[in-house]
Amino acid sequence: MGMYLERKIVTSLEKTAFSGEMDHGQIVEECRRVLKRFGVRVELSYSDKLNGYEFEVSGHYDSSRLRQPINLVVYFSLEHGARFRWTGTRVNEFRFKMSQVLQHELIHKCQAQYRLEGELGYPVCFDKNKQEQLYLANKDEISAYAHDIMMELKR
């Protein structure tokens, strides 16, 4: 079972013009262009944990935002400056990761729409270890991560 917007997201991401060498900013602009219709903001960031042409994508759903409640952040390494060199494998991996993270956050958006007024997704705790346990044990996260795993297996 795929998510109801999966085909539309994949089709949109296939319209990205990723080839050759591109500035990180151009990549993010291209993502914004094709994903805007899904209520997504896309931001650029850098991580010291990444090397070469590695990248990561993270996401966050903010239920308090009416417009563009989903924020995706694309992380790159600065090892090659602000440039990224595409290969066929990198294009496929990038599109898959963007789709997976966006679908994960859209699941959270859907979950929030059916939550009772005032009900929180999971309790907040100031103990960092306990907070991570609460986060990963939350039924919303279990459901969204199950979808992520299904996508990995299907791929």
Side-chain angles (χ1 to χ4, degrees):
M1 172 186 121
M3 189 164 165
Y4 68 104
L5 289 174
E6 179 179 11
R7 189 73 240 146
K8 289 180 180 181
I9 293 167
V10 168
T11 300
S12 291
L13 286 167
E14 286 171 349
K15 294 176 184 172
T16 53
F18 296 146
S19 65
E21 253 191 50
M22 294 175 73
D23 287 336
H24 296 154
Q26 288 176 296
I27 295 167
V28 168
E29 279 304 316
E30 191 69 9
C31 292
R32 286 178 184 146
R33 180 181 67 80
V34 300
L35 297 177
K36 185 177 181 179
R37 71 186 193 129
F38 298 102
V40 178
R41 293 173 289 134
V42 184
E43 295 178 13
L44 168 62
S45 193
Y46 296 97
S47 173
D48 294 336
K49 295 176 184 169
L50 299 173
N51 299 307
Y53 293 110
E54 293 177 330
F55 61 86
E56 268 308 318
V57 180
S58 71
H60 175 75
Y61 168 69
D62 183 350
S63 61
S64 68
R65 287 183 63 101
L66 296 178
R67 276 184 54 9
Q68 296 182 306
I70 294 172
N71 188 49
L72 299 183
V73 181
V74 182
Y75 294 90
F76 291 103
S77 163
L78 278 172
E79 192 172 312
H80 299 286
R83 305 281 298 162
F84 191 83
R85 182 175 294 134
W86 291 106
T87 64
T89 301
R90 287 183 191 137
V91 169
N92 292 336
E93 184 66 24
F94 188 86
R95 288 176 177 161
F96 175 79
K97 206 63 165 154
M98 290 295 288
S99 175
Q100 186 180 46
V101 174
L102 176 53
Q103 289 181 60
H104 182 105
E105 298 310 324
L106 284 167
I107 287 169
H108 287 320
K109 180 180 177 183
C110 186
Q111 291 165 336
Q113 290 171 341
Y114 292 98
R115 191 165 281 126
L116 298 174
E117 189 174 323
E119 182 184 17
L120 296 174
Y122 61 93
V124 175
C125 177
F126 294 105
D127 177 332
K128 189 175 179 177
N129 291 331
K130 181 118 172 118
Q131 179 63 37
E132 187 172 359
Q133 286 178 330
L134 290 170
Y135 169 77
L136 293 173
N138 177 268
K139 65 181 183 198
D140 288 356
E141 288 304 330
I142 291 169
S143 175
Y145 279 114
H147 185 271
D148 294 351
I149 293 167
M150 184 260 332
M151 287 184 71
E152 294 278 348
L153 293 171
K154 193 170 124 181
R155 186 169 173 229

